[in-house]
Amino acid sequence: MGMIKEFKEFAVKGNVMDLAVGVIIGAAFGKIVDSIVNDLIMPIIGRVTGGLDFTNYFVALKDVPQGTPMTLDAVKKAGVPVLAYGSFITIVLYFVILAFIIFIMVKWINRLKKEAPPPAPAEPPEDVKLLREIRDALKK
């Protein structure tokens, strides 16, 4: 019974609940960022670059059988080992765009947060007040 009680205390602690909320919000935020990149940014980049697609840039490390289309998927299906540098370039570009979007969103969210006013100084204890009065009286 002690282990169940211990687990309940652990699960109800604020840190665990905060982590759970963070994971859920993070998953939803990830979908938003993916949509921004895939649905808004990448079509613009595709339009600007004339539809340039790096995913089919590769180097075949073995002879490609005749009649095989020279696309990455077809060459891989033919069992030819490939150095798919185009996929790497695409993933790096995606990461850079994603990191920039996240940076802009975090900066925007931080700007929306209101700065909390500094806490008012605490009232000094009674003995400190008396000592200050004595000090001020001795200065006169």
Side-chain angles (χ1 to χ4, degrees):
M1 195 64 178
M3 189 169 168
I4 294 174
K5 182 179 177 185
E6 229 178 294
F7 177 74
K8 181 181 173 187
E9 288 175 12
F10 169 76
V12 178
K13 281 185 181 176
N15 293 341
V16 174
M17 297 306 287
D18 290 345
L19 179 63
V21 170
V23 167
I24 293 168
I25 295 295
F29 185 72
K31 289 179 183 179
I32 291 171
V33 172
D34 279 347
S35 177
I36 289 172
V37 171
N38 291 329
D39 301 333
L40 300 177
I41 304 297
M42 291 308 276
I44 294 170
I45 290 175
R47 176 72 178 186
V48 168
T49 61
L52 185 61
D53 184 13
F54 293 108
T55 55
N56 281 318
Y57 289 9
F58 62 92
V59 174
L61 300 176
K62 202 168 110 177
D63 290 334
V64 178
Q66 280 194 332
T68 305
M70 289 301 285
T71 63
L72 182 60
D73 289 336
V75 172
K76 280 184 174 181
K77 284 181 184 174
V80 177
V82 294
L83 182 67
Y85 67 91
S87 294
F88 177 74
I89 291 171
T90 301
I91 290 170
V92 168
L93 283 174
Y94 183 83
F95 171 77
V96 168
I97 293 168
L98 189 68
F100 182 72
I101 296 291
I102 290 173
F103 169 75
I104 295 297
M105 290 181 83
V106 167
K107 190 173 179 177
W108 179 67
I109 288 170
N110 285 340
R111 193 177 294 163
L112 289 177
K113 287 182 182 177
K114 293 182 180 177
E115 288 188 29
E123 183 84 17
E126 195 63 33
D127 56 345
V128 173
K129 288 181 184 178
L130 288 172
L131 288 171
R132 286 182 182 164
E133 287 178 20
I134 294 169
R135 179 196 63 197
D136 293 341
L138 289 173
K139 282 184 182 178
K140 293 181 183 178

